[in-house]
Amino acid sequence: MYYSKKNVLETVALLKAHGISEVVLSPGSRNTPLIQSFASDPYFQCHSVVDERSAGFFAIGIINRIQKPVAVCCTSGTALLNYGPAVAEAFYQELPLVVLSADRSAAWIGQMDGQTLPQPGIFGSLVKKSVQLPEIHTDEDLWYCNRLVNEALNAASNGPVHLNIPISEPLFDFSVETLPEVRKTTVIAPLISNDLQALAEAYDQAEKVLIVIGQLPANPAELTRLLDKFRHQRSEVVLVEHLGQYCSEDSIGNFDALISTWNAETAAEFAPDLLITLGGHVVSKRIKKWLREHPAKAHWHIGTSGQPDTYRQVTHFLQTTPEAFLEAFLPLKKKITAETVSPWVLRWNLAAKELPEPDGSLPFSDVTVTGAFVKSLAKKSVLFTGNSSPVRNLQLYSLPTVMPVFCNRGTSGIEGTLSAACGYATGAESLVYVIIGDLSFFYDLNILTHRPFPKNLRILLINNGGGGIFKQLDGMENSEILNTYISASHDIKAKGFVEASGIQYLNASDYEGLDKALKVLRNPEGNSAMLLEVFTEDSLNLEASKTYYRSLKNM
Ligand SMILES: Cc1ncc(C[n+]2csc(CCOP(=O)(O)OP(=O)(O)O)c2C)c(N)n1
């Protein structure tokens, strides 16, 4: 049975009408009317996650999997604030996270009534839309509520939204048998203008086209098909990290390491005439620096937001989805066949191919452990990577198989990687791997209490005793407080936490042990999730990466 008040019924019915079927619920009494209504309706798949910070990231993991909006629902007060990091992440990854917060009626905010704070608009500029629903007493209230919920859900197409729902007592009247019929409104995005002829001509004439693909959702099958059709294969170089999901025979993933080998002259020679970017964040810092120093004659950025100007040289914002742009653009460009590939493209491709990956001749370290892990990944699996060193080290290696790779790269926070992976794995059939550093792992421990904990999760925890990334930074060795305050060094091991949570625990601290443990980790059978904790040492971590980058310079 559903809860009786109309603003709750309208919200629940409209979520259903908009096709939002997965809801992550966090416990509370003010939101019990919402919880009861979602859980009573078999249309909704409900997940219970107590800690709202984890719940927000758990929902992001589900969005990564289903690529549709997902709702999170919490009680009033600080519960809502705990969604903050996930809301920010969703905003900068343009993910459709729908936040539903229950509240007291406006009259009681700031009156020392229990568990209240000013909830409407609390996420400020980090949401695409924020609405305060009315409590419904009249027909006009009902129309107003319907309009606001529709507006918010429509705005969620490319980012998070917040619906604050005041619910006065009684909170536990579960007497309604069916949801009301509701009006759903649909927004049709502006169609792309056909005025692209000039761009098509510029594209056909460009000699050096650099396409940089940032973070994209998984399985961009349609985008891949269109991009393959779009490219002349003559004048383009495609740079894409694992998070960009696109993969073709000649796309280049190791460009960050490649750029590290250039001198001023080569840096200028590799620069493009026309830069085309799409997708979200790019991890490499070197590419940003290099492109800012070597601006192209033209830069087109394709994306619905009409920003950003990451490389300080945008000439055209093509404000639409990459798919819609390519569809419109394809018929306009010339069909160039049997052209020879330009020397500039050949040079890029050769340089990228010749660049060696770090190998086992280097000391046992974060970098080489990552390499061994990457090579052991099972086919048809999915990978979540923590921020900090894992996402960077991962990029030094090609993946053995095409697989979706996810990371909370919207704001690069270290707090929600495990939770997101857990959300993805719940309901996924494949193995879901996580590679994560120790500070990021311990930060997100609460999700280990989630039940049922997905058995298909396989976690590689690289425990280097603190924030290892900071020790790699030039000049840090001179800081006397590096260990105490910057890298927050510790001697905590994960074993106790992991075993108490019913997860199978493995560990390794040399190549032989790692090899054995990785074989166990890739086993899809088993009654529980598994975690492999690998211990590495600061001095060897530093030596391995210095030796590797030095060897590239000497090539
Ligand atoms: C929520 C949040 N707090 C702080 C940071 C700053 N930060 C970036 S990397 C990092 C250290 C991460 O350490 P760990 O997860 O152990 O990975 P490692 O550096 O050892 O690879 C910190 C604290 C952040 N990105 N996000």
Side-chain angles (χ1 to χ4, degrees):
M1 298 283 266
Y2 303 93
Y3 176 69
S4 57
K5 295 229 170 113
K6 286 188 179 160
N7 58 356
V8 169
L9 291 167
E10 195 74 7
T11 303
V12 173
L14 273 169
L15 255 76
K16 199 167 169 178
H18 280 258
I20 301 173
S21 58
E22 301 229 19
V23 191
V24 183
L25 305 167
S26 295
S29 61
R30 189 63 48 173
N31 62 336
T32 294
L34 286 153
I35 297 178
Q36 168 74 28
S37 303
F38 286 124
S40 304
D41 190 324
Y43 175 79
F44 293 103
Q45 189 163 349
C46 297
H47 309 267
S48 174
V49 179
V50 177
D51 171 341
E52 286 83 5
R53 193 184 73 204
S54 289
F57 284 103
F58 189 94
I60 285 181
I62 302 176
I63 296 170
N64 289 151
R65 174 162 51 79
I66 66 172
Q67 294 182 40
K68 283 184 5 183
V70 171
V72 288
C73 171
C74 72
T75 189
S76 59
T78 53
L80 179 60
L81 290 176
N82 283 302
Y83 286 145
V87 166
E89 181 60 30
F91 185 80
Y92 286 106
Q93 272 200 63
E94 301 188 356
L95 297 177
L97 180 70
V98 176
V99 175
L100 307 173
S101 54
D103 201 354
R104 280 162 203 262
S105 77
W108 288 103
I109 309 306
Q111 307 310 308
M112 294 206 180
D113 209 14
Q115 217 176 304
T116 61
L117 48 79
Q119 295 183 189
I122 198 108
F123 297 117
S125 56
L126 289 172
V127 282
K128 295 284 174 183
K129 181 122 195 146
S130 173
V131 295
Q132 162 77 355
L133 301 189
E135 295 204 78
I136 295 170
H137 306 292
T138 66
D139 220 33
E140 188 172 86
D141 291 341
L142 183 58
W143 161 77
Y144 183 40
C145 180
N146 171 282
R147 174 165 76 74
L148 290 177
V149 178
N150 268 308
E151 283 174 7
L153 298 185
N154 281 325
S157 65
N158 64 348
V161 295
H162 174 206
L163 294 85
N164 194 51
I165 310 168
I167 309 172
S168 304
E169 285 156 33
L171 297 177
F172 312 119
D173 174 8
F174 310 132
S175 56
V176 174
E177 280 181 23
T178 50
L179 285 176
E181 293 279 324
V182 286
R183 174 189 64 140
K184 177 197 167 196
T185 58
T186 303
V187 174
I188 302 206
L191 300 172
I192 184 153
S193 122
N194 263 346
D195 194 17
L196 293 172
Q197 196 58 50
L199 293 186
E201 279 161 25
Y203 184 81
D204 288 332
Q205 280 159 21
E207 295 284 320
K208 302 174 184 178
V209 181
L210 188 69
I211 302 176
V212 180
I213 303 180
Q215 183 168 23
L216 284 176
N219 310 320
E222 181 59 2
L223 181 62
T224 302
R225 186 186 71 77
L226 289 165
L227 259 180
D228 288 344
K229 250 175 118 181
F230 166 80
R231 296 175 52 195
H232 285 313
Q233 312 290 348
R234 169 185 68 95
S235 50
E236 308 96 344
V237 168
V238 179
L239 305 186
V240 53
E241 296 170 335
H242 300 315
L243 300 182
Q245 318 288 353
Y246 173 80
C247 186
S248 75
E249 239 173 61
D250 58 355
S251 54
I252 296 173
N254 58 356
F255 55 87
D256 185 74
L258 185 60
I259 295 172
S260 78
T261 66
W262 292 346
N263 58 30
E265 203 180 317
T266 25
E269 287 163 4
F270 275 87
D273 296 336
L274 170 61
L275 173 65
I276 301 179
T277 54
L278 55 119
H281 286 249
V282 172
V283 178
S284 168
K285 274 190 185 165
R286 288 192 181 99
I287 195 178
K288 291 171 197 154
K289 184 168 182 293
W290 167 61
L291 283 173
R292 285 169 194 164
E293 286 170 0
H294 297 85
K297 286 187 202 116
H299 173 195
W300 309 346
H301 180 73
I302 313 166
T304 50
S305 66
Q307 43 178 10
D309 190 12
T310 310
Y311 306 104
R312 310 210 301 211
Q313 56 196 283
V314 171
T315 52
H316 297 80
F317 284 112
L318 302 160
Q319 198 170 358
T320 181
T321 63
E323 287 87 345
F325 168 75
L326 291 171
E327 283 282 13
F329 199 73
L330 270 170
L332 302 177
K333 60 189 265 293
K334 273 204 219 118
K335 286 198 176 46
I336 297 178
T337 47
E339 286 265 0
T340 46
V341 178
S342 88
W344 179 77
V345 173
L346 287 176
R347 187 167 177 204
W348 259 105
N349 291 346
L350 192 69
K353 271 211 180 79
E354 280 181 345
L355 205 73
E357 294 183 351
D359 63 25
S361 65
L362 294 170
F364 188 78
S365 56
D366 292 4
V367 167
T368 56
V369 168
T370 304
F373 169 70
V374 165
K375 300 303 169 197
S376 79
L377 293 171
K379 276 198 180 132
K380 297 196 174 146
S381 50
V382 171
L383 176 59
F384 274 76
T385 167
N387 276 303
S388 201
S389 314
V391 70
R392 295 171 197 285
N393 289 340
L394 206 61
Q395 206 53 48
L396 297 173
Y397 300 93
S398 59
L399 298 176
T401 162
V402 178
M403 61 166 64
V405 184
F406 300 100
C407 182
N408 292 330
R409 208 57 207 167
T411 44
S412 305
I414 62 167
E415 72 276 70
T417 306
L418 269 188
S419 295
C422 195
Y424 190 106
T426 304
E429 283 174 11
S430 55
L431 279 188
V432 177
Y433 287 100
V434 184
I435 176 168
I436 191 167
D438 45 277
L439 291 194
S440 309
F441 174 81
F442 291 118
Y443 206 138
D444 203 7
L445 269 186
N446 276 356
I447 196 61
L448 298 189
T449 62
H450 176 65
R451 291 295 177 267
F453 197 79
K455 291 178 183 170
N456 50 343
L457 210 53
R458 299 286 180 274
I459 305 165
L460 174 76
L461 160 59
I462 302 185
N463 190 341
N464 53 25
I469 197 161
F470 303 121
K471 300 186 177 170
Q472 303 274 341
L473 302 176
D474 280 344
M476 276 295 192
E477 65 279 7
N478 301 323
S479 166
E480 66 287 0
I481 48 91
L482 172 62
N483 283 332
T484 335
Y485 295 117
I486 297 175
S487 83
S489 297
H490 63 83
D491 59 3
I492 303 169
K493 296 185 170 63
K495 190 169 193 281
F497 299 103
V498 169
E499 287 181 342
S501 310
I503 296 169
Q504 185 181 341
Y505 177 82
L506 307 156
N507 65 31
S509 40
D510 57 27
Y511 283 124
E512 205 187 339
L514 177 66
D515 200 41
K516 276 194 199 136
L518 284 174
K519 286 195 180 104
V520 181
L521 202 70
R522 80 197 298 273
N523 179 5
E525 311 300 328
N527 293 325
S528 70
M530 294 182 202
L531 179 140
L532 166 58
E533 182 172 30
V534 179
F535 298 98
T536 63
E537 285 174 28
D538 287 345
S539 58
L540 298 183
N541 283 329
L542 207 56
E543 187 187 328
S545 51
K546 284 208 163 138
T547 311
Y548 174 64
Y549 281 103
R550 213 180 300 126
S551 75
L552 297 185
K553 286 259 186 229
N554 295 335
M555 270 176 44

